[in-house]
Amino acid sequence: MPRASVWLRHSVAILAAGAALASAPAFAKYPDHPITVVVPFPAGSGTDAVGRIFAQQLGDILGGSVVVENKPGGNATIGANYVARAKPDGYTLFITTNTSHSAAPFLNKNVPYDPVKDFTPIARGGNLPFILVVNPKLPIKSVQDLVSYAKQHPGKLTYASGNSTGIVAGATFADRAGIKILHVPYKGTPQAMTDVMSGQVDMMFTDVASSLAFVQSGKLRALAVSTAARSNVVPDIPSMQDAGIQNFDINSWNGLLGPAGMPKDVVEQLNAAMNKIVKDPATRKRFTDLGFDAFSGTPEDFAAFVSQQRDLWGKMIQDAGIAPE
């Protein structure tokens, strides 16, 4: 074959390869379009307030748009199921708590997702301490006052709940204290707190993030945190053990998850961003001011934690005698 023909064929091959590369789609940088962070509670709840800070900071670190979408209801199962069925590409994420992943499988008769198999754990967010609050017009200044009052008026005191932690904490408190109190469930914390402040309901366990401003203004009276030890976020409020209630230690965790099967590199990128967020002093102060104890870790640590918490909450719910509904 003449040398000119060989050269021509090689030239044509090189040009064809170049054209193919030019027409091939470039590797998409994550994120290349807006990320949706689903929060399974109403706007104004503690998880919503914390979730919006995480969303803003994730957008800043990742260099993209991150929007929050509230999908409340069903003990957080509506939002959880939506995320579980979403495409696992990193563009639908879930800021949630123990409500959807630890408690709902035992509080609800039918949960349309598996809290372990249907999700990709990305990063722990921290803890949302809960406190026992009462209407300040009640003649109750301490947990022991509350117990005495409940025993003198059996079945007349009511407690509201806006999430699973409130449900389980209230039932566990009644069991540990040996009292009878009537449960009044709500779809979310804001309306439940409003009714406690107005006196329509007497008391509730609620997250510090939602209630601290009302406690400080005197619209609610805080009696104790829902843990055995005092909280670093509100150290002046007694613990349940301080208040004389033994074997009572309930905390609400917070974390970031996505649908099962997310790409490993996207998970690692999001995990690194979450760890950066909780270590930033200015952001930590924003969380602390909300009553949120922020910290994180690895995806593997978070996965093990989610499984362990599911078993723990299942036992607590069984011990408190709460029947699934």
Side-chain angles (χ1 to χ4, degrees), residues 170-189:
T172 301
F173 174 69
D175 177 67
R176 299 284 193 274
I179 59 175
K180 291 184 178 180
I181 49 179
L182 178 65
H183 179 213
V184 183
Y186 288 80
K187 290 184 178 180
T189 295

Side-chain angles (χ1 to χ4, degrees), residues 29-37 54-68 90-93:
K29 176 183 176 295
Y30 175 81
D32 66 355
H33 60 272
I35 297 170
T36 297
V37 172
F54 275 125
Q56 176 197 339
Q57 295 296 311
L58 280 172
D60 291 345
I61 292 171
L62 298 173
S65 174
V66 181
V67 297
V68 173
Y91 289 94
T92 303
L93 304 176

